[in-house]
Amino acid sequence: DCGIIVPPVDDLNHPLHPTHCMDRPHVLYCQKTGKYVMWIKIMGDHGNQFMVVLSADDLRGPYEIIRERYQPLDMNSGDFYLHADAQTGKAYIFFERPHFELICATLTDDYLGVTGEHSAHYQNRKPPFTREAPVFFERNGIKYLFTSGTSWYFPNPTTVCRFEDYHGEYVDLG
């Protein structure tokens, strides 16, 4: 246990104030900059969802806030997963566009934002068929994404898809 690496902010209007719903922090190490980059999902007011993006020289911090209320591609961003491709050094964010579709977006070289290159998957579905909680892994050059249905905290079946290109066709394996 390294303790708290991102302390709360004592300002009711700040997204890192303890009264805000924040979850799913993810950290990537950016080889290009030598920095650790953390993205945190924030549930804002009136169903608005966004990210706080932070950066640090050490995994344990201190972290500097780079983007305070960031919406990748100007979209609400729900559950998400960050991935850095070991072969190319490029990084990607997979995020649920809440209750609508799953987005894969290419991150900037410093991992602090998105480039604009993106693709949409599992489109035009309604809960509980909308996909959320993405988890990525790769085996033998094939990429896989596990997701769950949008059913709040009620159990539902996991769906797995496979793909070779981050922005290509995702083949649903059930």
Side-chain angles (χ1 to χ4, degrees):
D1 182 358
C2 297
I4 296 174
I5 63 173
V6 177
V9 174
D10 190 22
D11 173 354
L12 280 170
N13 296 315
H14 196 281
L16 295 182
H17 187 273
T19 58
H20 293 280
C21 180
M22 56 193 103
D23 62 1
R24 299 186 176 269
H26 287 65
V27 177
L28 286 179
Y29 178 73
C30 182
Q31 292 276 12
K32 189 169 192 166
T33 64
K35 301 265 187 186
Y36 290 88
V37 177
M38 179 185 295
W39 289 54
I40 303 172
K41 177 185 124 185
I42 308 291
M43 295 284 292
D45 298 333
H46 312 293
N48 191 25
Q49 296 182 41
F50 54 88
M51 302 286 184
V52 173
V53 182
L54 309 99
S55 179
D57 293 325
D58 185 87
L59 176 63
R60 294 165 296 197
Y63 280 85
E64 173 189 0
I65 297 171
I66 306 298
R67 297 177 183 270
E68 194 172 297
R69 296 178 188 277
Y70 184 54
Q71 290 187 305
L73 307 167
D74 294 320
M75 297 178 185
N76 275 338
S77 50
D79 293 350
F80 75 104
Y81 189 85
L82 296 178
H83 170 68
D85 188 296
Q87 302 295 322
T88 66
K90 281 187 168 187
Y92 303 87
I93 182 171
F94 299 90
F95 67 89
E96 173 214 6
R97 189 168 170 201
H99 305 175
F100 185 63
E101 62 192 348
L102 191 74
I103 302 293
C104 175
T106 304
L107 296 183
T108 56
D109 288 344
D110 59 10
Y111 301 174
L112 298 173
V114 296
T115 64
E117 178 183 31
H118 69 285
S119 52
H121 309 277
Y122 296 107
Q123 294 180 286
N124 301 315
R125 297 182 180 202
K126 303 283 186 224
F129 305 107
T130 305
R131 308 314 300 165
E132 67 178 1
V135 175
F136 172 92
F137 83 94
E138 185 171 353
R139 181 163 190 225
N140 298 327
I142 304 295
K143 297 158 183 54
Y144 297 89
L145 197 66
F146 284 65
T147 58
S148 68
T150 307
S151 60
W152 295 91
Y153 294 99
F154 297 101
N156 65 74
T158 297
T159 294
V160 181
C161 67
R162 69 174 168 76
F163 53 97
E164 294 181 21
D165 177 351
Y166 293 96
H167 298 299
E169 179 185 0
Y170 286 26
V171 177
D172 193 341
L173 302 177

